[in-house]
Amino acid sequence: MLIRIPSSSLHGIEAYLVEVEVDISPGLPAFIIVGLPDAAVRESKERVRAALRNCGFDFPSKKIIINLAPASRKKEGSSFDLPIALGLLAFLGVVHICSLEKFLFVGELTLEGSLKSVRGALPVALLAQQKKFSGLVLPKKNEREACLVQKLAVYGFSHLSQVISLLNGNQEVKPASYSLEELLGDSKPEVDFSEVRGQQQAKRALEVAAAGGHNLLIIGPPGSGKTMLARRLPTILPDMIFEELVEVTQIYSAAGLLGERAAISQRPFRAPHHTITDTGLVGGGNYPRPGEVSLAHHGVLFMDEFPEFSRQALESLRQPLEDGRVTISRVAGTISYPCSFMLVAAMNPCSEVMLGSRVVADCTEAERRKYYARLSRPLLDRIDIQIEVPAVKYQDLLSKPAGEPSVEIKKRVCLARKKQWERFKGRKIFSNAAMGSKEVRQYCELDREGHNLLEAALKKFRFSARAYDRILKVARTIADLSGEEKISAAAVAEAIQYRLMDQF
């Protein structure tokens, strides 16, 4: 007897359809799972066997073969427990076979028949909607996450017996229903720009970076507020639109990092330690998982002590920064993850300051050059804004925080972003930082004084072609913040000031 139950597995952050085929035939008792299962899938036979017996059902004493189709793709995780158990229950006549075709099933079973949460419920819900299933059946803890998908009937259960009742129609079961406000919550940022004392130039640079989506490098001594400033950057970024929110939540869902949350409603802020490997940073492993660059998608990736990261990890950032996607090739397959993020890097003026043996004033130019040499020129060229921040003055430390609040800065940032969205309407570009060479030539028009100033700067500092484009992009953002259509010489001058590393 052959029974088919629709289920799903993950490939990267996307789900694909898996048909669980249960074949039960006379012969010596056996329980075999085929279709490239990993260890967690192979162990499901023991979980299913114990769950059925503890729920009061007889386990078939026959030859049982479970095939996970397509058999050519590796299957991992414990989400096939529920569909396998339902296939055996259909053979026993406990559930109607015809009702199994209407739903998509995922869920891990405990030994007493309870349903435990699984990774990737949101990608599975998107698949169920795409394939036009009547509904999605999954563990109760994954219910709110799956409800982000509109117009999909989601049934979350905590025990196998409840799934049986749904399939047999023993009692009326309504799909889960949550408002968007319930799913997203109303969490407010815990930090604010008004708490920052002094550092006016740095706050201006962060505003420009937020307005244009530019990458940023902050150089300064310990205690100058580099980390404090970076942690407040998400508070002035525009709110995520619903599509961005779903995209980010999909990544966290596939990585199993959602926890008790139904969605990621705030822009992510990731701050990996400088001992992280290149695999941890961009993703990978035997079965590739999203790295920090993908977990920072549509948010901020903060890298403190930037030169202390391994050379391999730093150079692995070049493709994600340029393309907004990272491709990982392993024996298990090739996976592409989205990673459109803002890089905010922070570093000390020289290695002796980092070790605490010297003060900033003692750093010679030679020591600075040696420390900066840990960062390759192609990587630095991809960082639009590079600034140096001084130590906070004693008077600023004594004063009460009275800076401009994040909400006011955010208003100006959103107005500048709105201009960019209108400018790039119909293109896959959402900020000035994402412009290509063609768009730079089209939209970054300078006045005569601006042309002369930029020409003089190119001759003096010997900017690369990539740095030239970056200056024009930043100048375009400064003009957008000022409400100017043409880029003025003042905007060009400010953009040139943000190329600190080109002077070394």
Side-chain angles (χ1 to χ4, degrees):
M1 182 178 183
L2 181 64
I3 302 165
R4 294 184 175 89
I5 307 97
S7 187
S8 177
S9 186
L10 294 177
H11 181 73
I13 63 168
E14 295 181 354
Y16 65 92
L17 193 63
V18 175
E19 198 168 49
V20 179
E21 298 179 322
V22 181
D23 180 74
I24 304 175
S25 58
L28 292 174
F31 198 144
I32 304 167
I33 301 178
V34 297
L36 289 183
D38 72 347
V41 179
R42 288 194 296 271
E43 290 172 355
S44 66
K45 59 185 178 183
E46 303 303 334
R47 292 191 295 271
V48 171
R49 192 195 309 268
L52 292 186
R53 285 178 176 169
N54 288 326
C55 288
F57 302 111
D58 294 326
F59 192 82
S61 184
K62 295 181 179 294
K63 185 176 181 179
I64 302 169
I65 299 177
I66 309 293
N67 179 45
L68 307 176
S72 59
R73 303 181 80 167
K74 189 80 175 178
K75 318 298 186 311
E76 57 174 312
S78 54
S79 59
F80 297 110
D81 291 4
L82 178 59
I84 290 173
L86 292 175
L88 298 176
L89 290 173
F91 170 78
L92 295 172
V94 177
V95 298
H96 304 308
I97 295 178
C98 59
S99 62
L100 294 175
E101 300 174 355
K102 300 177 182 178
F103 303 96
L104 191 65
F105 300 92
V106 289
E108 176 186 337
L109 285 173
T110 65
L111 300 187
E112 52 93 23
S114 296
L115 288 172
K116 295 190 70 175
S117 60
V118 294
R119 285 192 305 113
L122 179 57
V124 172
L126 291 168
L127 176 71
Q129 183 190 53
Q130 178 189 344
K131 298 295 183 181
K132 297 181 180 178
F133 282 95
S134 297
L136 171 64
V137 177
L138 78 175
K140 184 72 175 178
K141 287 187 177 180
N142 293 119
E143 182 181 73
R144 294 171 67 243
E145 172 191 346
C147 284
L148 277 177
V149 180
Q150 307 294 310
K151 299 179 182 178
L152 173 67
V154 176
Y155 299 89
F157 298 113
S158 54
H159 198 272
L160 179 61
S161 59
Q162 296 172 316
V163 181
I164 295 171
S165 296
L166 168 72
L167 296 176
N168 290 340
N170 296 338
Q171 59 184 29
E172 186 180 357
V173 181
K174 293 183 178 180
S177 177
Y178 296 93
S179 67
L180 206 55
E181 290 73 21
E182 289 177 295
L183 296 175
L184 303 184
D186 190 26
S187 58
K188 293 182 179 179
E190 298 178 356
V191 295
D192 195 274
F193 258 93
S194 61
E195 301 161 348
V196 181
R197 294 177 171 90
Q199 303 296 15
Q200 297 303 320
Q201 184 195 9
K203 287 191 278 190
R204 167 63 178 177
L206 261 72
E207 180 179 340
V208 174
H214 302 288
N215 301 318
L216 175 70
L217 172 64
I218 307 173
I219 303 171
S224 57
K226 301 187 295 293
T227 302
M228 185 181 188
L229 286 163
R231 290 193 178 279
R232 281 151 182 77
L233 179 58
T235 66
I236 63 172
L237 291 172
D239 295 330
M240 287 193 290
I241 60 175
F242 186 74
E243 289 75 13
E244 290 177 331
L245 185 147
V246 170
E247 225 176 289
V248 174
T249 305
Q250 192 175 350
I251 295 171
Y252 278 74
S253 175
L257 298 176
L258 267 183
E260 298 297 322
R261 295 171 292 184
I264 304 295
S265 55
Q266 303 292 329
R267 290 192 181 272
F269 180 88
R270 304 292 298 185
H273 193 261
H274 60 76
T275 55
I276 193 172
T277 63
D278 58 316
T279 299
L281 192 59
V282 300
N286 292 331
Y287 299 102
R289 292 281 190 274
E292 290 292 333
V293 296
S294 296
L295 295 174
H297 187 51
H298 292 315
V300 176
L301 177 67
F302 177 55
M303 299 179 71
D304 201 7
E305 307 299 350
F306 199 41
E308 302 302 320
F309 285 80
S310 71
R311 184 79 175 204
Q312 192 170 356
L314 289 175
E315 293 306 306
S316 68
L317 286 172
R318 286 162 61 175
Q319 184 211 353
L321 286 172
E322 199 73 24
D323 302 336
R325 294 194 74 83
V326 59
T327 302
I328 304 165
S329 295
R330 296 291 185 272
V331 175
T334 299
I335 293 176
S336 182
Y337 292 113
C339 57
S340 178
F341 61 93
M342 280 182 63
L343 172 66
V344 179
M347 59 184 285
N348 295 299
C350 66
S351 57
E352 283 73 14
V353 172
M354 192 265 175
L355 296 172
S357 60
R358 301 273 288 280
V359 295
V360 180
D362 293 334
C363 288
T364 65
E365 186 173 337
E367 287 172 334
R368 286 180 178 241
R369 288 181 182 276
K370 183 180 178 181
Y371 195 51
Y372 296 162
R374 299 187 186 185
L375 307 174
S376 69
R377 180 56 58 186
L379 177 60
L380 287 173
D381 278 349
R382 288 170 169 82
I383 301 178
D384 302 354
I385 299 176
Q386 305 155 5
I387 60 167
E388 189 164 12
V389 295
V392 182
K393 295 178 182 178
Y394 181 69
Q395 291 82 358
D396 291 331
L397 289 174
L398 290 177
S399 65
K400 293 181 179 180
E404 194 174 17
S406 294
V407 64
E408 295 300 323
I409 303 173
K410 186 175 180 178
K411 288 178 183 177
R412 296 196 296 269
V413 168
C414 289
L415 284 174
R417 283 287 184 109
K418 186 179 179 182
K419 291 178 183 178
Q420 294 163 46
W421 293 332
E422 292 171 354
R423 179 182 299 137
F424 305 125
K425 197 172 183 180
R427 308 186 187 204
K428 292 184 178 180
I429 299 174
F430 304 100
S431 66
N432 288 333
M435 284 192 291
S437 297
K438 181 181 176 182
E439 288 77 24
V440 169
R441 302 295 175 268
Q442 184 176 353
Y443 297 113
C444 299
E445 186 180 352
L446 303 176
D447 60 19
R448 183 182 294 275
E449 291 182 5
H451 270 296
N452 294 337
L453 181 59
L454 186 53
E455 183 181 2
L458 285 172
K459 290 178 180 177
K460 181 177 180 180
F461 298 113
R462 298 181 182 179
F463 291 131
S464 67
R466 185 181 283 116
Y468 169 75
D469 278 355
R470 302 280 172 177
I471 290 171
L472 289 176
K473 291 178 185 180
V474 174
R476 177 69 271 170
T477 300
I478 295 168
D480 288 341
L481 281 169
S482 303
E484 300 171 355
E485 193 58 37
K486 262 192 175 183
I487 300 174
S488 65
V492 174
E494 185 178 349
I496 292 171
Q497 289 178 358
Y498 293 144
R499 299 300 302 181
L500 174 71
M501 298 296 284
D502 291 311
Q503 301 173 24
F504 290 91

